[in-house]
């Protein structure tokens, strides 16, 4: 029951999904769409596991005052503020006491964490209750904004979009651009022309990188652009194609091993 | 641009500088940005998945039912089953009942792998093989417009793509020793792969550089906005814009000076 039933489920649903792909009937299409919905729903519930894990790891860091523990508050506040903003929206022309509501929820979060980590639980629990009362009081009396779980008004909440545009995007873009520096220094160490293969790699990389350089003389930019275009569309295409075919065959082989119960690592121990 | 928008822009610039400060060394500002992005991105995806996936695929299907009937009177009541299976996933938190989470996991993996096999074969393997097996254009072997070795549509390019793909696949075939003709083809395969990796590497670096340029352009735009020096004058402009600009600039310069002083102090000690 503990192990056999999951294996049976994997085999039955896996074999069925492979089979239905080759059945050209609308009922087959319906079952496909239906089970795809199931997978999405189960997957989202699994996301809660990840969020809970993030929360417990952060609280654990705070509780045991591990290295850089104070930054865990930043993570938790970032997480919860986005969730609060994503479920709320503006109704009238002004936000009313919305900012007080958000701050009281964030203080509630902080006090709850303190309750779980502190010895003086009564004080922090009392403060948590106070924050909750303030938040609920504003939520029930302030009509200038609303809470929406079932409709997507929260996605157009300007505070939510501002957090995405001015917090998330700049940091992610900067982190990716940081990699340009690290890649360049790693490339210097890794791609020295020690043998013919490393030299091929180096030359191809340099030509592609110089593609947009406008400062080269004697019509070289045009020649570089053409060579780079050829590199990307001929040898690179061949290499990528070989890799993609390899990946595809690898996924098929691994999936077959999973369906047939040869690969069982995903079940864990016990 | 209104002042609140400018404050948001300043926040973005501060976080950009905080992240770039990692090039110098790991420091509190970088740690702040790093921890913030973990939380904010997790929260962002929770909301996106909730509104765009869970609501249309679950809640809207059950909306004609009643909660006190556990949505069993809904016209599509069977959508309760994946929700229940999803909830069963949470038994992972329990040491005693964590085995129950294997049921939804089994269903999830069964459906996913079952979908993957035909789709991967169709979309990756068959499509790529089909694209590879084009008839070689022998009439325009060196390009349609005369002799052009760098033409991407010539018969020569088609031949290189075909042979390169076959040779690349042979290089990844380890069940036979790479010796003789087989070894020679495998060697050609690794040459093609290395040129491909080099080109991909160069392309990735350029993509990252363009992101860097974008961050610098944003920083420049913020500076111009602070002094109302953009092409279109800001009707809401006031001294508060410059105050914010100088506050952030002083903050950054102050940190740099502090680091230099600290460095000199440790050098002299």
């Amino acid at each position: 029951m503990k192990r056999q039933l999951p294996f049976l489920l994997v085999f039955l649903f896996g074999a069925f999904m492979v089979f239905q792909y080759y059945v050209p009937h609308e009922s087959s299409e319906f079952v496909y769409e239906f089970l795809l919905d199931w997978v999405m729903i189960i997957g989202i519930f699994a996301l809660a596991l990840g969020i809970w894990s993030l929360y417990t790891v952060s609280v654990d860091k705070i509780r045991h005052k591990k290295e850089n523990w104070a930054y865990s508050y930043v993570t938790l506040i970032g997480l919860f503020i986005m969730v609060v903003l994503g479920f709320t929206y503006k109704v009238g022309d002004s936000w009313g006491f919305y900012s007080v509501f958000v701050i009281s929820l964030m203080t509630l979060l902080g006090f709850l964490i303190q309750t779980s980590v502190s010895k003086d639980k009564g004080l922090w629990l009392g403060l948590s209750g106070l924050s909750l009362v303030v938040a609920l009081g504003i939520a029930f009396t302030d009509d200038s904004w609303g809470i929406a779980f079932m409709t997507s008004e929260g996605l157009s909440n300007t505070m939510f979009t501002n957090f995405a545009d001015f917090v998330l995007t700049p940091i992610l873009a900067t982190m990716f651009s940081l990699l340009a520096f690290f890649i360049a220094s790693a490339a210097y160490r890794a791609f020295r022309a020690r043998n013919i293969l490393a030299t091929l790699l180096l030359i191809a990389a340099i030509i592609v990188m110089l593609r947009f350089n406008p400062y080269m003389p004697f019509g070289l930019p045009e020649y570089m652009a053409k060579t780079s275009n050829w590199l990307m569309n001929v040898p690179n295409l061949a290499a990528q194609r070989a890799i993609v075919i390899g990946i595809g065959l690898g996924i098929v082989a691994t999936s077959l091993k999973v369906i047939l119960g040869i690969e069982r690592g995903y079940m864990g121990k016990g | 641009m209104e002042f609140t928008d400018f404050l948001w822009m300043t926040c973005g610039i501060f976080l950009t500088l905080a992240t770039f400060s990692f090039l110098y060394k790991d420091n509190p500002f970088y740690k702040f940005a790093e921890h913030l992005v973990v939380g904010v991105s997790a929260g962002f995806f929770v909301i996106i998945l909730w509104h765009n996936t869970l609501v249309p695929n679950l809640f809207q299907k059950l909306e004609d039912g009643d909660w006190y009937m556990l949505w069993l009177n809904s016209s599509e009541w069977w959508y309760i089953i994946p929700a229940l299976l999803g909830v069963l996933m949470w038994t992972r938190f329990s040491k005693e009942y964590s085995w129950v989470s294997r049921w939804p996991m089994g269903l999830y993996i069964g459906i996913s792998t079952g979908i993957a096999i035909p789709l991967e074969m169709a979309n990756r393997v068959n499509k790529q093989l089909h694209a590879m097996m084009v008839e070689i254009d022998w009439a325009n072997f060196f390009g349609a417009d005369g002799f052009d070795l760098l033409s991407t549509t010539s018969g020569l390019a088609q031949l290189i793509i075909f042979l390169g793909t076959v040779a690349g696949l042979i290089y990844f075939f380890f069940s036979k020793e790479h010796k003789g003709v087989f070894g020679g083809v495998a060697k050609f395969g690794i040459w093609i792969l290395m040129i491909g990796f080099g080109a991909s590497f160069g392309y990735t670096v350029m993509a990252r550089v363009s992101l860097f340029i974008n961050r610098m352009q944003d920083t420049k735009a913020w500076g111009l906005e602070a002094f109302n020096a953009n092409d279109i004058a800001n009707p809401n402009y006031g001294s508060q814009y410059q105050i914010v600009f100088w506050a952030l600039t002083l903050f950054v310069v102050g940190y740099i000076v502090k680091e230099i002083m600290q460095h000199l102090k440790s050098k002299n000690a």
Side-chain angles (χ1 to χ4, degrees):
Chain A
M1 187 74 166
K2 284 184 180 179
R3 292 185 77 87
Q4 277 79 358
L5 185 65
F7 287 136
L8 192 68
L9 283 172
V10 170
F11 177 76
L12 288 177
F13 278 92
F16 175 76
M17 291 309 279
V18 175
F19 176 72
Q20 71 76 33
Y21 183 84
Y22 299 101
V23 179
H25 194 270
E26 60 184 37
S27 58
S28 169
E29 182 72 17
F30 172 78
V31 172
Y32 172 78
E33 297 286 342
F34 180 63
L35 287 178
L36 210 61
D37 281 351
W38 277 38
V39 167
M40 277 194 273
I41 293 164
I42 295 172
I44 289 179
F45 278 92
L47 177 80
L49 286 175
I51 298 298
W52 179 253
S53 178
L54 178 65
Y55 175 79
T56 48
V57 166
S58 301
V59 171
D60 190 60
K61 265 176 98 173
I62 295 168
R63 182 179 292 144
H64 295 107
K65 298 245 184 304
K66 289 180 182 168
E67 198 183 353
N68 299 323
W69 62 273
Y71 295 103
S72 293
Y73 277 112
V74 178
T75 303
L76 290 173
I77 287 172
L79 169 66
F80 283 97
I81 212 163
M82 284 305 271
V83 172
V84 171
L85 298 180
F87 286 128
T88 47
Y89 63 99
K90 189 160 81 169
V91 177
D93 294 332
S94 80
W95 278 101
F97 290 99
Y98 181 71
S99 52
V100 184
F101 169 75
V102 174
I103 291 168
S104 57
L105 277 185
M106 291 307 115
T107 50
L108 170 65
L109 170 73
F111 292 149
L112 281 177
I113 294 169
Q114 282 301 321
T115 310
S116 65
V117 302
S118 168
K119 284 176 186 168
D120 195 3
K121 290 193 190 303
L123 170 72
W124 296 111
L125 206 59
L127 287 170
S128 305
L130 189 67
S131 298
L132 185 66
V133 167
V134 171
L136 288 177
I138 294 170
F140 282 115
T141 54
D142 193 358
D143 296 331
S144 54
W145 55 274
I147 298 172
F149 290 109
M150 295 302 146
T151 50
S152 58
E153 281 103 336
L155 289 179
S156 47
N157 177 350
T158 47
M159 295 280 274
F160 180 78
T161 53
N162 280 346
F163 259 90
D165 293 343
F166 297 106
V167 175
L168 197 58
T169 308
I171 302 178
L172 288 179
T174 313
M175 279 188 172
F176 279 112
S177 71
L178 266 184
L179 283 180
F181 295 93
F182 293 116
I183 280 179
S185 71
Y188 174 73
R189 278 168 283 174
F191 301 154
R192 272 175 295 178
R194 283 173 293 198
N195 54 44
I196 187 149
L197 291 177
T199 313
L200 280 175
L201 194 142
L202 185 72
I203 291 170
I206 286 174
I207 291 171
V208 174
M209 283 193 280
L210 290 178
R211 183 185 197 175
F212 301 113
N213 188 339
Y215 299 112
M216 283 184 297
F218 316 123
L220 268 175
E222 195 190 337
Y223 184 72
M224 280 289 182
K226 203 169 177 190
T227 314
S228 163
N229 192 37
W230 182 83
L231 281 171
M232 291 303 292
N233 290 306
V234 181
N236 181 51
L237 180 64
Q240 296 300 333
R241 194 162 274 168
I243 291 166
V244 167
I245 292 171
I247 290 172
L249 291 173
I251 291 174
V252 170
T254 311
S255 299
L256 274 175
K257 279 170 78 178
V258 169
I259 289 174
L260 297 174
I262 300 165
E263 170 63 54
R264 299 174 172 202
Y266 62 90
M267 285 289 165
K269 289 175 186 168
Chain B
M1 181 184 274
E2 285 188 19
F3 184 61
T4 47
D5 294 330
F6 181 72
L7 282 179
W8 276 109
M9 201 177 176
T10 309
C11 170
I13 299 304
F14 168 73
L15 291 169
T16 299
L17 296 175
T19 312
F20 271 132
S21 67
F22 187 71
L23 285 172
Y24 165 59
K25 70 174 186 185
D26 199 6
N27 63 74
F29 301 113
Y30 176 74
K31 281 199 187 96
F32 175 80
E34 186 190 26
H35 283 78
L36 185 65
V37 79
V38 171
V40 169
S41 57
F44 180 77
F45 286 111
V46 165
I47 292 300
I48 295 291
L49 287 171
W50 176 280
H51 285 307
N52 293 346
T53 311
L54 200 62
V55 170
N57 288 311
L58 179 65
F59 297 137
Q60 282 177 4
K61 307 265 186 192
L62 299 172
E63 68 185 350
D64 57 344
D66 299 304
W67 65 269
Y68 51 84
M69 294 286 288
L70 295 173
W71 296 279
L72 285 168
N73 58 343
S74 161
S75 57
E76 293 182 281
W77 61 268
W78 49 84
Y79 274 92
I80 299 168
I81 301 167
L84 286 174
L85 288 167
V87 171
L88 288 184
M89 283 281 238
W90 297 347
T91 56
R92 282 248 150 183
F93 296 126
S94 156
K95 277 182 185 164
E96 204 177 338
Y97 298 106
S98 67
W99 57 272
V100 179
S101 69
R102 288 180 188 154
W103 297 351
M105 184 78 92
L107 195 103
Y108 186 92
I109 288 175
I111 296 172
S112 310
T113 49
I115 290 173
I117 290 174
L119 281 184
E120 288 296 325
M121 279 307 286
N123 294 342
R124 284 195 207 255
V125 182
N126 291 353
K127 257 191 188 151
Q128 293 295 332
L129 287 173
H130 184 257
M132 187 179 90
M133 292 176 197
V134 289
E135 201 179 332
I136 305 292
D137 190 359
W138 297 105
N140 298 310
F141 192 72
F142 291 110
D145 309 320
F147 187 80
D148 184 7
L149 282 175
L150 295 178
S151 165
T152 54
T153 53
S154 67
L156 178 65
Q158 289 170 332
L159 193 65
I160 293 173
I161 292 170
F162 177 76
L163 293 176
T165 308
V166 174
L169 283 170
I170 284 176
Y171 174 75
F172 286 121
F173 190 75
F174 299 111
S175 300
K176 185 174 160 52
E177 203 177 344
H178 289 184
K179 269 183 174 175
V181 177
F182 192 78
V185 176
K187 198 167 192 177
F188 176 63
I190 185 68
W191 284 13
I192 288 287
L193 285 171
M194 289 312 261
I195 295 173
F197 289 150
S200 299
F201 171 80
Y203 196 77
T204 309
V205 170
M206 291 315 288
R208 303 300 160 98
V209 169
S210 70
L211 274 173
F212 174 72
I213 293 168
N214 170 266
R215 294 319 306 145
M216 291 299 101
Q217 282 174 333
D218 263 16
T219 312
K220 185 186 169 192
W222 171 74
L224 290 174
E225 196 66 48
F227 291 94
N228 202 15
N230 269 326
D231 293 340
I232 303 164
N234 183 359
N236 305 308
Y237 186 74
S239 55
Q240 70 272 30
Y241 286 73
Q242 279 196 37
I243 292 170
V244 171
F245 174 86
W246 287 115
L248 182 58
T249 308
L250 278 173
F251 186 73
V252 172
V253 171
Y255 178 70
I256 294 169
V257 169
K258 182 205 146 226
E259 283 297 318
I260 292 171
M261 299 289 277
Q262 214 164 14
H263 176 71
L264 291 174
K265 215 183 235 177
S266 63
K267 213 175 172 186
N268 293 334

